[in-house]
Amino acid sequence: MLKEQDTAERLLQQQTHALQERVKELSLIYDLSQLADQTDLALETYFSLVAARLPAGWQYPEDTCAQLRFDEHAFSTPDFIATPWQQSSPLIINNEPRGEVLVGYRSEHAPDAEGPFLAEERNLINEVARAISRVIERRLRETERQQIEAAIHRSEGNLKRAQSIAHIGSWHLDITTGDVQCSDELSHIFEISPGSINQLDGFVKFIHPDD
């Protein structure tokens, strides 16, 4: 009877411990998702905050150190050291490896599925790496979009200055709607307010019949 009771208590302790570990892992994933939503954070700040939060998701958080590497940059917990007890997962950005997430213990612990790490911790670090990779890809796309918009803005400014100097204008017709867009200089040539012509029938009134 006592043996069965001891077995039941050990089983309950194991189940409780496993449940506590899953709660820690889910809490980390939620915490990182909250960070990912803070789009005003610079990537460097985001990386540092992620590295600082990683130890909380592992079995021995007080003995855990972490590092996030992206290209030539590294973001680590203050106590990070290279140890024999580490696991890592790559950061794949647009199908190219650009870095990794690395978690390690500073001292030896009982062996488990992967050295001292639980099988669930392998799944956790892989999911963390995928989540970080998605954030990076999203930020890179946004940066590229902003650069394209800035280039277009500069190009439009250069065109306006060139037209003003040469005293020439330009216009664009949307053949599906009949909408017309005239440049500011063309409006100046026609001696009308910019934006006052937006339809083709109004535009052709300013065109000489022989043109």
Side-chain angles (χ1 to χ4, degrees):
M1 185 66 177
L2 290 176
K3 185 177 180 180
E4 293 176 356
Q5 185 177 355
D6 289 343
T7 301
E9 289 179 354
R10 283 197 299 272
L11 180 59
L12 178 59
Q13 290 174 353
Q14 292 172 356
Q15 292 174 338
T16 301
H17 177 71
L19 179 59
Q20 290 171 340
E21 292 304 309
R22 300 299 81 72
V23 170
K24 284 161 54 177
E25 293 161 7
L26 290 174
S27 296
L28 174 62
I29 293 297
Y30 176 76
D31 198 12
L32 295 186
S33 71
Q34 294 293 100
L35 279 180
D37 290 338
Q38 298 182 35
T39 55
D40 57 325
L41 290 177
L43 263 182
E44 292 80 3
T45 303
Y46 167 75
F47 292 151
S48 296
L49 292 173
V50 168
R53 283 162 168 74
L54 286 178
W58 265 254
Q59 187 173 193
Y60 309 105
E62 69 287 346
D63 194 41
T64 302
C65 56
Q67 184 178 79
L68 194 159
R69 299 172 184 165
F70 179 62
D71 290 341
E72 70 276 14
H73 306 290
F75 305 84
S76 310
T77 53
D79 55 359
F80 180 82
I81 56 173
T83 78
W85 311 286
Q86 293 180 333
Q87 61 178 177
S88 63
S89 187
L91 297 177
I92 306 299
I93 313 301
N94 297 321
N95 299 318
E96 294 289 337
R98 298 278 297 273
E100 67 175 352
V101 179
L102 192 152
V103 172
Y105 292 136
R106 295 191 300 275
S107 59
E108 188 173 5
H109 294 274
D112 210 289
E114 182 183 332
F117 299 101
L118 303 172
E120 292 82 0
E121 289 171 334
R122 164 49 58 191
N123 296 333
L124 176 61
I125 196 171
N126 287 345
E127 177 55 33
V128 166
R130 286 192 291 267
I132 295 172
S133 296
R134 289 192 294 268
V135 170
I136 296 172
E137 289 179 342
R138 188 165 64 244
R139 294 293 190 88
L140 292 178
R141 285 195 299 269
E142 177 62 19
T143 299
E144 182 180 12
R145 183 189 65 79
Q146 292 175 352
Q147 290 173 342
I148 291 174
E149 289 181 351
I152 292 173
H153 182 72
R154 289 193 299 271
S155 177
E156 290 175 344
N158 292 336
L159 177 61
K160 286 182 180 180
R161 285 190 292 273
Q163 289 183 347
S164 177
I165 293 171
H167 200 55
I168 58 175
S170 62
W171 60 283
H172 171 76
L173 170 65
D174 187 329
I175 61 174
T176 61
T177 64
D179 291 342
V180 172
Q181 291 181 332
C182 296
S183 69
D184 290 348
E185 184 60 24
L186 187 60
S187 298
H188 178 71
I189 294 171
F190 288 163
E191 298 182 342
I192 59 176
S193 300
S196 59
I197 298 178
N198 53 30
Q199 289 292 319
L200 182 61
D201 55 352
F203 177 75
V204 296
K205 294 177 183 179
F206 291 89
I207 307 300
H208 192 278
D210 294 335
D211 287 345

